[in-house]
Amino acid sequence: MDYLYCPDLKNRVVQMLPFTTLLSIDKESPQPIYLQIANNVVNIIREGQIKPGTMLPGTRELAKLLNIHRKTVIAAYDELYAQSWIDVIPRKGAMIAQNLPDLKPQRWNEPRLSSYGEFLTVPFYPMDTQTPVSSAPVLRLPEFIIDEGYPDSRLAPLDLLNREYRNRAKQAAARKWLPGTLAGGSPLLREALVSYLLESRGLNIQTQHTMVTHGAQMSIYIAASLLLQAGDHVIVGDPSYFLANKVFEKLGARLIKVPVDAHGMDMDAVEQACKKHKVNVLYVIPHHHHPTTVTLSPERRMRLLELSRRFDFAIIEDDYDYEFHYSSAPYLPLASGQHEGRVIYIGSFSKSIASSVRIGFMIAPADFIRQAIQLRLMIDLRGDHILEDALAVLIQNGDVGRYLKKANKAYFDRLNNICTSLQELKGIIDFERPSGGMAIWARFNKDYPLAKVADAAAAKGLYISRGFQSHGNLRDGNSIRMGFAAMNIGEMNAAIEILSKVLKAKI
Amino acid sequence: MDYLYCPDLKNRVVQMLPFTTLLSIDKESPQPIYLQIANNVVNIIREGQIKPGTMLPGTRELAKLLNIHRKTVIAAYDELYAQSWIDVIPRKGAMIAQNLPDLKPQRWNEPRLSSYGEFLTVPFYPMDTQTPVSSAPVLRLPEFIIDEGYPDSRLAPLDLLNREYRNRAKQAAARKWLPGTLAGGSPLLREALVSYLLESRGLNIQTQHTMVTHGAQMSIYIAASLLLQAGDHVIVGDPSYFLANKVFEKLGARLIKVPVDAHGMDMDAVEQACKKHKVNVLYVIPHHHHPTTVTLSPERRMRLLELSRRFDFAIIEDDYDYEFHYSSAPYLPLASGQHEGRVIYIGSFSKSIASSVRIGFMIAPADFIRQAIQLRLMIDLRGDHILEDALAVLIQNGDVGRYLKKANKAYFDRLNNICTSLQELKGIIDFERPSGGMAIWARFNKDYPLAKVADAAAAKGLYISRGFQSHGNLRDGNSIRMGFAAMNIGEMNAAIEILSKVLKAKI
């Protein structure tokens, strides 16, 4: 790295540049101060007033110079770093990057050196290009993000998990494991799951019924791959979790979509579908349906189990959202009922602890798990067994339980808060209060097309989804999941204020 | 857990039962002592001489009583625990399990509580049941493990990675990311890969040619899934990495196996195969072939690129072992040559830093990466973006480079050491010194069948593989990869001493 060769530049700038003038701040501006600073630095770089390789003043110094809080300067530098305008040199500070984002030569287009400009001319899987996935890295982030329902990692015991991870990583046992024994997950975590799932949701299982995966999505992928062959029929809700639908479609299965109302999937429609087709699999999200957040009622759960026995189909029970309930206790999973091994039960700690903790699980008959592990070996060998061990310890010593209690309480407050705020947008946004989970299903009045709302919000620093058009249900085309868990009440109020302004500007 | 309610039982047994008589040991028996103890305990449980809920003596006490090493008692208790005969109570000790394995009601068969005893009657993928994968957790570990070639995580900058992880996890930016932007990997890591791969191996790419995966295996799985359809032809080495073969077979591809000699894949055989069949993909591990550790020569690399252009097939270049070289500098990857976008390049940090750090990457044409990201979304959404960010920082600030230098030096010493040790087993073990990597391809004399060697070694606390029978090549059936990187020289010498004893006992 070039920049390592100019340590002598340190602090030079502090004496040279009149930062109080260059980085003038307008405290009345709607633009946050940290962004003003970042943008000003970008401007003086562009204008050549400050050169690549130059050190910026330390955060303490600049905070003093500008008479603002040091955290604001840190946020500004983070932003500059995220946009690649500065490099951060450990124990030295922030330096203007040698390769500036919009100035560097396009060296990768030289044909003599690289051949990745050409496209491989081989058949691809046909996929929906509508899916809102960007393959280019997005380096700039909006100030507020209304996600589709993720936990707030600030509440999660990530420090404890990290400490346990460090402790275990240093132990010799962490390096000792037999090849092939970890594809199903760390033995400790599988053991911990057995008691955790018994205590939290009445699943009476042994370790051979458990498997750790890289998140609920991988469980869905593996279960579906084992259960489905091309031409098979899968019953899903209408609408349903679109990435599960994509997995089933990729495997060549035919989707039978049944309506989802306030009590979950319509079981009469399921029965009719079973009479018409040989149904192989039904995919259900009993708490809380994705995207509409409804809970499958106990009566329908009983009926579903009865139908699965009568028509002999397997159930993929995606219970990713079991942990968060506010109005009442959760219903026990289908997997705890009389299903004679027909239920594949799926859960995830990515949804209950933090989206970065990529650990999910699958509960199924032992022979199914054995084959699932074989498939998992092919997909990605195994997970991070040290992290899995560390999570097992946190489950067993009660840290996870304590965190979930705390998070339930916080999210209950956040749900109350967002419901109150959204009441004031009645007529524009329509919703039913969910009994649990981390999102509200918000149906926008069709006079407020979400794509336009999202664009207008983005300009004001708020990200919201452009809508669930890809769910194949026009009725829900102008709706989104509004996650209320990841932001605290202050942040959410600021986000809703931006949204209100956008909506009331009558776009 | 029931057993938590009887802590008062502690130590009761020690005074009551005549363990020296009950657990009589035969030091002449071929059965290991720990197994004798375990079996004897099972017998006295079965005969009712010791009841569920009773505490066993501590490992120190029992070792003293029986006049054996404490490690042997620990091994016996581990065995009993693995078989579910005892429960281990933290800070208390071992207790006869309340639910004994062959006495307890098969509660998981009780239809009222759980139905996971029954097997799901749905079609599974046919898979090789020979693969040495245990679905049951293995809690007991041998003292020494000769793996198939993994790095020594003690040398790796895991502390630095962990510190960076913690720092980033606390930053607001770590919680802010746009849905769908991380399936290809953290933007920071993709950016870091661009310069890292240019500097370390001459790959001249942009971020849109990069993708972060959950390890090299996932890259293989995704690349193969996009490239292959049922009936397609794939050229692989004979032998080759068996989990890649399994992926190709699962996708319905037909394998064409070409010989691998001391310079890698036989290119004449590749050309002949291409003349006979429409070949879609060739899978190659240029440094160092798995399992035989040979390096593909520069001449064959040129020839392979020429053949791929002439017969228009894609190359999956699995360069997982690029980082470690001792005799000479590594050859530049095929991906840095003139391949016109036909090479999918795969690498992994799990193989260069630590097997628990599950981060790999794939380099391919931008359109291919775009579709690979779509597929990855279906498989497991994304990786741990905070860990990916942290790794990016360690790459960029040079920590990864410094570690690799240090590890190369250490592994060179370890390679020298194991070569010297194995020289003394000439005639029993035959091998060629590899030019790099972390393993030796050790061919055992057929008078020493590996399954028997492995069993005898296991009884003495050493794990080695039972052989590569599953590689479908009888010539290599009695061979294994002996990883020399994960153990230091003292540990390896102790391991080889056990192996020597086993071999010289003329089993």
Side-chain angles (χ1 to χ4, degrees), chain B residues 485-506:
Chain B
M487 284 194 274
N488 64 32
I489 287 178
E491 290 160 345
M492 181 57 83
N493 288 347
I496 298 274
E497 206 177 306
I498 296 176
L499 182 62
S500 296
K501 275 187 193 156
V502 166
L503 292 170
K504 287 174 179 167
K506 294 252 176 209

Side-chain angles (χ1 to χ4, degrees), chain B residues 388-432:
Chain B
E388 291 171 4
D389 281 353
L391 177 61
V393 171
L394 262 63
I395 291 172
Q396 281 178 323
N397 70 14
D399 285 323
V400 166
R402 279 186 290 277
Y403 150 70
L404 286 172
K405 257 188 200 160
K406 184 174 73 173
N408 259 290
K409 208 168 160 303
Y411 297 167
F412 178 56
D413 293 342
R414 293 177 189 185
L415 173 62
N416 288 338
N417 177 65
I418 195 175
C419 286
T420 310
S421 306
L422 290 185
Q423 283 300 342
E424 288 169 27
L425 292 168
K426 228 177 174 174
I428 305 179
I429 298 177
D430 196 21
F431 70 95
E432 273 92 45

Side-chain angles (χ1 to χ4, degrees), chain B residues 143-438:
Chain B
E143 198 170 0
F144 301 105
I145 293 176
I146 296 184
D147 61 34
E148 58 164 55
Y150 287 101
D152 186 345
S153 61
R154 289 170 295 190
L155 302 178
L158 291 186
D159 267 357
L160 296 176
L161 188 63
N162 212 272
R163 193 175 62 186
E164 190 62 38
Y165 184 95
R166 254 180 323 162
N167 291 344
R168 303 195 75 84
K170 282 177 188 154
Q171 286 170 18
R175 292 179 295 104
K176 279 194 192 177
W177 48 271
L178 293 178
T181 55
L182 296 170
S186 98
L188 276 184
L189 182 53
R190 296 175 75 182
E191 195 61 46
L193 277 174
V194 169
S195 47
Y196 178 68
L197 295 178
L198 177 67
E199 285 161 23
S200 67
R201 57 201 88 177
L203 287 194
N204 205 337
I205 50 172
Q206 286 183 285
T207 48
Q208 67 261 37
H209 303 130
T210 67
M211 171 179 181
V212 179
T213 64
H214 197 229
Q217 186 70 35
M218 184 177 276
S219 299
I220 296 171
Y221 185 85
I222 289 176
S225 296
L226 291 178
L227 290 169
L228 291 171
Q229 294 183 319
D232 281 358
H233 288 94
V234 184
I235 296 181
V236 297
D238 184 11
S240 184
Y241 175 49
F242 81 107
L243 277 177
N245 282 358
K246 278 203 178 292
V247 169
F248 305 143
E249 283 167 351
K250 175 184 172 301
L251 294 166
R254 288 177 231 176
L255 299 185
I256 303 173
K257 298 183 177 185
V258 301
V260 175
D261 62 25
H263 304 288
M265 273 178 149
D266 179 340
M267 288 302 143
D268 290 333
V270 170
E271 181 165 356
Q272 277 161 25
C274 289
K275 284 178 176 163
K276 216 165 149 187
H277 304 282
K278 167 64 198 140
V279 169
N280 307 82
V281 170
L282 179 141
Y283 171 77
V284 64
I285 313 156
H287 294 112
H288 306 91
H289 188 71
H290 195 289
T292 62
T293 78
V294 297
T295 301
L296 189 67
S297 68
E299 297 72 30
R300 292 197 187 177
R301 287 170 191 246
M302 298 294 285
R303 178 101 184 270
L304 177 52
L305 284 178
E306 187 259 312
L307 290 172
S308 85
R309 286 191 295 268
R310 190 166 132 211
F311 294 102
D312 194 23
F313 58 80
I315 297 172
I316 298 179
E317 180 176 22
D318 183 356
D319 211 10
Y320 76 91
D321 215 4
Y322 182 90
E323 302 287 7
F324 300 112
H325 286 86
Y326 317 116
S327 325
S328 59
Y331 302 129
L332 284 184
L334 297 165
S336 71
Q338 288 187 46
H339 54 76
E340 290 154 20
R342 281 195 189 80
V343 173
I344 312 294
Y345 184 75
I346 288 172
S348 174
F349 293 99
S350 307
K351 275 289 194 169
S352 59
I353 294 184
S355 60
S356 63
V357 175
R358 305 289 314 146
I359 299 182
F361 54 86
M362 181 160 85
I363 307 301
D367 189 51
F368 190 86
I369 291 291
R370 194 182 59 75
Q371 302 208 38
I373 290 172
Q374 299 269 1
L375 180 56
R376 201 263 165 93
L377 266 177
M378 290 187 216
I379 291 176
D380 76 336
L381 287 183
R382 61 183 160 263
D384 178 341
H385 60 278
I386 304 177
L387 182 66
E388 291 171 4
D389 281 353
L391 177 61
V393 171
L394 262 63
I395 291 172
Q396 281 178 323
N397 70 14
D399 285 323
V400 166
R402 279 186 290 277
Y403 150 70
L404 286 172
K405 257 188 200 160
K406 184 174 73 173
N408 259 290
K409 208 168 160 303
Y411 297 167
F412 178 56
D413 293 342
R414 293 177 189 185
L415 173 62
N416 288 338
N417 177 65
I418 195 175
C419 286
T420 310
S421 306
L422 290 185
Q423 283 300 342
E424 288 169 27
L425 292 168
K426 228 177 174 174
I428 305 179
I429 298 177
D430 196 21
F431 70 95
E432 273 92 45
R433 185 190 162 99
S435 65
M438 294 175 283

Side-chain angles (χ1 to χ4, degrees), chain A residues 34 50 74 101 151 158 209 280 454 493:
Chain A
Y34 83 91
I50 184 168
I74 293 175
L158 291 185
H209 303 129
N280 306 82
N493 287 348

Side-chain angles (χ1 to χ4, degrees), chain A residues 1-10 51-55 81 84-90 92-99, chain B residues 192 195 199 392-399 402:
Chain A
M1 302 276 119
D2 289 342
Y3 57 72
L4 289 174
Y5 304 128
C6 46
D8 54 317
L9 289 174
K10 200 188 170 197
K51 296 264 176 285
T54 314
M55 298 299 296
Y81 180 69
S84 302
W85 290 99
I86 63 173
D87 290 321
V88 174
I89 307 173
K92 292 228 161 57
M95 187 182 69
I96 307 302
Q98 294 286 358
N99 293 314
Chain B
S195 47
E199 285 161 23
V393 171
L394 262 63
I395 291 172
Q396 281 178 323
N397 70 14
D399 285 323
R402 279 186 290 277

Side-chain angles (χ1 to χ4, degrees), chain A residues 234-239 245 249 255-259 269 470-473:
Chain A
V234 183
I235 296 180
V236 297
D238 183 11
N245 282 359
E249 284 167 349
L255 299 186
I256 304 173
K257 298 184 177 183
V258 301
S470 55
H471 285 235
N473 188 328

Side-chain angles (χ1 to χ4, degrees), chain B residues 125-154:
Chain B
Y125 273 104
M127 286 189 205
D128 177 11
T129 53
Q130 301 284 37
T131 318
V133 175
S134 146
S135 68
V138 174
L139 290 170
R140 215 179 135 260
L141 290 170
E143 198 170 0
F144 301 105
I145 293 176
I146 296 184
D147 61 34
E148 58 164 55
Y150 287 101
D152 186 345
S153 61
R154 289 170 295 190

